[in-house]
Amino acid sequence: MTRSRLLASAVAAALGVLIAAALYGQSDAGEEAIPAGTRAIYSEVVLPPPGRGGLATGERDIHGEEIRVSCAVCHRPGDDRALVTNAAGLTEVHAGLTFAHGGNECASCHHPERRDRLRLANGKAVGFADSILLCGQCHGAQKRDFDHGAHGGMSGHWDLSRGPRTRNHCVHCHDPHAPAILPVMPADPPRDRFLNAQGEHR
């Protein structure tokens, strides 16, 4: 990553934290301020990761949802086939998987004995729904920012005494096998109906 991209990322993260702090402390117009120390009465929900440890079949069910096959259908308990070390060694249904996640191997994240689980650095098996714990082991700064609301998408209320909050999971934005976000073109700025073509007020 270039120095300018790192600097831009750091500035964006810092601005997000400052905006979050400013918004958190303000009340909406016409509402009384919530006294300091008031406990949260609403909850925060982190959406489950899409896919959650299954293989996409390319088919849809009657509700239009993607049909996935559990890892355990092929990888039964006691499966003695070793995990491959890189995407080039993948065959059959896993062939063609893009893998660009640093120096990691499949067994860096996937549990070698329990194929329907992921493995933390301490060897503990966790389900795919809890993969945010796995991501946070290496991506500590992003996990810290996520925990404070400055990383990842969110809808709802900053202040949980005013209403509930819903958060995205890491894999809503990042492919776990190739997590880098590709550069994107920024959207056009909003158009002001009172400006002419030269940007001057009418």
Side-chain angles (χ1 to χ4, degrees):
M1 184 177 276
T2 65
R3 183 178 293 173
S4 60
R5 282 186 69 194
L6 284 172
L7 180 60
S9 295
V11 169
L15 284 173
V17 171
L18 290 173
I19 290 169
L23 290 174
Y24 186 79
Q26 294 178 350
S27 62
D28 295 329
E31 293 183 356
E32 291 184 31
I34 301 295
T38 300
R39 294 180 39 211
I41 55 175
Y42 294 95
S43 63
E44 175 181 83
V45 173
V46 177
L47 296 172
R52 285 191 284 179
L55 182 68
T57 64
E59 302 291 326
R60 302 238 174 232
D61 64 16
I62 62 171
H63 304 290
E65 299 293 324
E66 182 180 48
I67 297 174
R68 300 183 74 83
V69 176
S70 170
C71 303
V73 169
C74 299
H75 300 287
R76 304 209 186 291
D79 186 347
D80 59 356
R81 292 177 289 176
L83 288 172
V84 297
T85 57
N86 58 51
L90 295 171
T91 60
E92 299 173 12
V93 296
H94 298 295
L97 175 74
T98 299
F99 188 77
H101 199 151
N104 290 327
E105 298 180 356
C106 300
S108 299
C109 300
H110 291 273
H111 201 287
E113 287 89 35
R114 299 182 64 192
R115 304 295 170 85
D116 61 335
R117 297 279 184 256
L118 298 169
R119 177 176 65 176
L120 299 179
N122 64 7
K124 179 181 176 187
V126 295
F128 283 84
D130 295 322
S131 56
I132 199 165
L133 299 172
L134 179 72
C135 300
Q137 291 182 131
C138 297
H139 303 285
Q142 291 83 355
K143 176 70 166 77
R144 177 203 61 220
D145 293 346
F146 176 87
D147 290 343
H148 293 114
H151 188 93
M154 180 186 87
S155 63
H157 298 264
W158 281 101
D159 184 350
L160 290 176
S161 68
R162 295 192 183 277
R165 176 171 52 220
T166 302
R167 305 284 307 275
N168 284 333
H169 190 282
C170 303
V171 298
H172 281 102
C173 300
H174 302 277
D175 176 343
H177 299 109
I181 299 289
L182 298 175
V184 296
M185 290 296 296
D188 289 330
R191 295 187 182 178
D192 187 333
R193 64 184 179 165
F194 298 108
L195 294 180
N196 62 22
Q198 289 76 34
E200 302 164 341
H201 280 278
R202 296 179 193 182

